[in-house]
Amino acid sequence: MEKGSEVYTAEEAGRLGREGITEPIVINLGPQHPSTHGVLRLITTLDGETVLKAQPDIGYLHRNWEKIVEGWQYPQIIPFADRNDYISAIFNEWLVCKSVEDALGIELDKRAEVLRTIFAELNRLISHQLWFGTYAMDIGAFTPFVYALRDREWGYALLEKATGARQLYAFFRIGGLRNDVPDGWIEELSQYLDYFEKEAYPQYVDLLTGNEIFIQRSEGVGVVSRDVALAFGATGPVLRGSGVPYDVRKAHPYGVYGEVEFEVPVGEHGDNLDRAMVRMKEMLESVKIIRQCVELLPEEGEVLTSRVPRVLKLPEGNYYTRLESPRGEVGLWVVSTGGLGPYRMKWRAPSFVNLQLLDHMARGEKVADLIAALGTIDIILGEVDR
Amino acid sequence: MPAWIRRAAVSIAKGHRVTLDQMLRRPITSLYPEEPVPHFPGFRSIPVLKANEETGKLNCTACGLCARSCPPQIIFVESVVGDDGRRKQWPAFFNLDLSRCMVCNLCVEACPFDALEMSADNELSAYDVRDLFFNMEELAALWKTAPAVRIAGGQKR
């Protein structure tokens, strides 16, 4: 029997309160299915329209990241790490750079630190905009998707102006950034934030999150209690939606997050609505953080510090570094034997951990709510499969 | 009438107001292949070989630092061997496999001779993967036809 293809017996179905309605049937969703955000296969056991079990079958986008980078030097890993979470690539580069910088004790100039924080928050904003659009599509509203991509385009243009690429930036270097931002970039960033806060965000609220149909559709669906979320090791908006105010930016400050003021939005019940509203509030928090960073930004300063050794060798040992990506805590475990590259690297992908909650969320819900629950986890398959 | 029905009606009206407002504005999309979309300065697509503007000769000395820094190892460069058996500071070949290029700029940063630049020409798609294998002459020709930039070492753009 193939792994995961077991169906529920009548007895087990009866324990779920679904006895004798229809015969349970196994249905494949994906891997080529528009609602699964990439190439994810969901092996679902359905009783009519009700989900008895939803098992994600991952690995269709596996690229052997962890093995490949074992032969590489640390600076070479940065562009390949971009390919993990390709919607918010800045966080991946930052993680690789930060793990080497922390291990070697490289101090960055203030300007580089502030710019890194600005880029990360801009990327978080863009990532959450895409989530907003795709989640709306998951629950059957097409229009917000177009609006979200319209606003995301300006953010991508800003990133392209500074980094030279739209999605896979390869912009952070060990010791800072590859180049400084062009003239007038900060002003345009402020314009973008004003536009987002005053024009785009109210539209999002009017179109989707303030809509009564949306609220009734999401409320009480896909509930993850606080204890379950903690037991599964969920992080990011999935954990915060369940009411745990854990955020790496607050718990272990890095960059200039220790110097800026922001709130960590938390939900109450852990349903789809809470996770959605946590992300909506995080967009505004990102705007707030970028505004404060722009004021913190020093006029002068090296963006790429000259205090980086020419040959980057990590001392023998184990290193764990973490960041708060839009999807949760993304961590990198580096085992070094003192060479030019890592002996072993382990990528802690938040999407991968959060995806394990899908079965718990979807049991007893309708098929359409399974897709909605998948949307609120906000998975990126490049990161799940690595 | 339950209160939620009224709220639903109001929120639907609000949503329609947003879409109606947007409908009366100019479209922001462009018909891409017909209307070319310009890239911002500094956009990078493929490393190309830079030539000296006065002599027209390539700056490349075939030192191989770019090939060593390349993460997917797609740059193949070898220097000319003269009649006396000694290596000359001139590439015999410089091949680049664009099908695996990550467009990361690391080769440009590694080059100490100002011989590589990132071209902005991104319309290089091909029906055959062999067409994405560029040799020295093609890379030098690309440098002449499309704008290219060199950004390295934390400089200002």
Side-chain angles (χ1 to χ4, degrees), chain A residues 72 75-76 79-80 83 111 143 147 150 157 160-165 168-170 173 177-183 199 203 206-207 210-213 216 303-304, chain B residues 4 7-8 11-12 14-15 17-19 21-22 25 28 39-44 68-73 102-106 109 151-157:
Chain A
W72 288 8
Q76 294 183 328
F80 196 27
R83 271 82 180 157
R111 187 171 168 89
T143 312
Y147 284 65
R150 173 201 65 190
E160 188 188 328
K161 276 179 187 172
T163 69
L168 303 164
Y169 312 106
R173 292 287 178 268
L177 309 169
R178 192 188 66 221
N179 55 268
D180 208 332
V181 292
D183 294 329
E199 284 191 47
Q203 285 185 348
D206 281 351
L207 272 176
N211 192 302
E212 183 69 20
I213 299 167
Q216 294 206 6
V303 289
L304 189 60
Chain B
W4 68 267
R7 286 202 302 274
S11 54
I12 288 170
K14 273 186 183 169
R17 198 191 61 205
V18 171
T19 45
D21 175 48
Q22 201 65 32
R25 294 189 199 177
I28 60 159
H39 289 296
F40 299 110
F43 178 82
R44 55 182 206 276
R68 279 176 64 186
S69 75
C70 180
Q73 301 281 300
M102 294 210 284
V103 201
C104 62
N105 203 46
L106 283 179
E109 283 163 59
I151 294 154
Q155 73 194 44
K156 190 96 179 167
R157 295 258 300 264

